[in-house]
């Protein structure tokens, strides 16, 4: 007999996660902290950004900025993603990550996390579109 999977979390529960802390510990310490960051943390970030109207491509673009310029550079951007509230939130996430990133590999970890968030956002959008059914018209 296979054990039952753990109960899932709702979007509201995931959106309430402290992504700032998850980034600090997930990037800084790795291990199970990193697993949580790339799991629930990425989904929670995707939910929050989606609710604020941020498009997946904006987060994917930011991942490229982090990969090429570094986390500290991206954290100093006046508008890392479109929208004042979303930009302030993401800037805080990036500042938290930048406080523990010490190497180029750390920057790449942050970029990979952002790419994961963007991919999850895109999947959620695709699912919503398909679940809504064909457009009438």
């Amino acid at each position: 007999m296979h054990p039952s999977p753990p109960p899932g979390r709702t979007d509201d529960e995931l959106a309430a996660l402290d992504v700032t802390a998850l980034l600090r510990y997930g990037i800084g310490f790795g291990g199970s902290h990193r697993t949580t960051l790339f799991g629930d943390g990425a989904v929670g970030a995707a939910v929050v950004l989606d609710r604020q109207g941020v498009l997946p491509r904006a987060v994917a673009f930011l991942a490229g900025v982090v990969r090429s310029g570094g986390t500290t550079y991206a954290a100093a951007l006046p508008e890392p993603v479109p929208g004042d509230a979303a930009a302030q939130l993401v800037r805080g996430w990036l500042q938290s990550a930048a406080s523990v990133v010490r190497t180029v590999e750390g920057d790449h970890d942050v970029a990979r996390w952002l790419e994961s968030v963007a991919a999850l956002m895109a999947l959620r959008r695709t699912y919503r579109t398909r679940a809504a059914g064909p457009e009438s018209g």
Side-chain angles (χ1 to χ4, degrees), residues 92-108:
W93 293 349
L94 291 170
Q95 289 168 346
S96 179
S99 73
V100 295
V101 168
R102 301 287 178 252
T103 64
V104 172
E105 289 79 20
D107 288 325
H108 288 291

Side-chain angles (χ1 to χ4, degrees), residues 40-64:
D40 287 350
V43 177
V47 169
V48 169
L49 293 177
D50 184 54
R51 287 179 176 177
Q52 293 194 12
V54 177
L55 296 176
R57 67 178 176 235
V59 179
F61 180 82
L62 180 60

Side-chain angles (χ1 to χ4, degrees), residues 6 16 28 39 49 61 63 68-69 89 129 134:
L49 293 177
F61 180 82
S68 61
L89 179 67
T129 301

Side-chain angles (χ1 to χ4, degrees), residues 69-90:
T71 307
T72 301
Y73 173 80
L77 293 172
E79 192 175 35
V81 295
D84 291 338
Q88 182 177 353
L89 179 67
V90 171

